[in-house]
Amino acid sequence: MGYDTHVRPETAADWANVAALTRTVFNTPDEALLNDALRQQTQDYIALVAEQHGNIVGHIMFSPVQLENAKQIKMMALAPMVVSKVLQQHGIGSALVRAGLETCFQHKVDAVVVLGHASYYPKFGFIPASNFAISCPWQVPDEVFMLLELTPDAMKNASGKVQYLPAFAQI
């Protein structure tokens, strides 16, 4: 990651710039609308931005999810994440993921799930959620729905389907 990139907590003043970046990178308003909906549906989210020279060049959000058979386990979903197209492959996404996971750990989150690239997220310790008998609410290939335990053995006796906030059903 470039020496001039800084990862920090998102503020409400960042929302318009985050939305513009997200719409540009995804070439659709869906993920930007998802960010807005998640902010409205819960206060228990974690959002970070990557900034270079005062410009937002990346964003990551974690929102609460529940396991249908183990509601006592504190879980978050990593989604969405975005990095400026011209700055991808420069470690900004990795810095956002690492900082986000550390923030989740500090907030005593037991596990994080992600629906994402099977070749990207394992470098952070994510493995297929099916290894824990955890399933995705959508039909997706097994290797793209992953889970990372932040609390050792938190998922030891857990199983079932992950329940996302309603915002995810809207995209």
Side-chain angles (χ1 to χ4, degrees):
M1 185 172 76
Y3 66 90
D4 54 353
T5 303
H6 172 68
V7 175
R8 62 169 176 79
E10 169 193 87
T11 68
D14 299 322
W15 293 355
N17 291 329
V18 166
L21 173 66
T22 304
R23 282 191 304 270
T24 299
V25 172
F26 283 102
N27 202 27
T28 171
D30 293 349
E31 284 78 8
L33 294 172
L34 175 59
N35 283 332
D36 291 341
L38 290 171
R39 289 181 193 113
Q40 291 172 7
Q41 290 177 10
T42 184
Q43 293 182 340
D44 190 25
Y45 67 87
I46 293 167
L48 305 173
V49 295
E51 200 173 43
Q52 278 187 359
H53 307 294
N55 296 315
I56 292 175
V57 296
H59 178 259
I60 193 167
M61 185 175 268
F62 296 81
S63 60
V65 292
Q66 287 193 326
L67 195 55
E68 63 184 355
N69 299 328
K71 296 195 184 328
Q72 76 281 4
I73 298 173
K74 187 173 181 181
M75 296 178 69
M76 298 286 257
L78 186 171
M81 181 177 77
V82 63
V83 174
S84 170
K85 287 181 182 181
V86 298
L87 294 171
Q88 291 178 4
Q89 307 297 317
H90 288 87
I92 295 170
S94 293
L96 284 166
V97 172
R98 285 188 188 97
L101 292 173
E102 177 59 31
T103 304
C104 286
F105 180 77
Q106 292 169 0
H107 284 85
K108 303 198 180 331
V109 172
D110 295 312
V112 175
V113 292
V114 66
L115 179 57
H117 295 284
S119 60
Y120 183 73
Y121 290 98
K123 70 182 176 183
F124 304 104
F126 284 91
I127 61 173
S130 61
N131 290 7
F132 299 97
I134 306 300
S135 62
C136 183
W138 306 287
Q139 293 291 337
V140 298
D142 188 57
E143 67 273 8
V144 301
F145 186 63
M146 294 167 269
L147 184 142
L148 173 64
E149 279 186 312
L150 298 179
T151 301
D153 295 326
M155 308 308 290
K156 190 173 188 174
N157 297 312
S159 65
K161 189 177 291 185
V162 173
Q163 299 169 324
Y164 283 74
L165 290 171
F168 284 93
Q170 299 165 2
I171 60 165

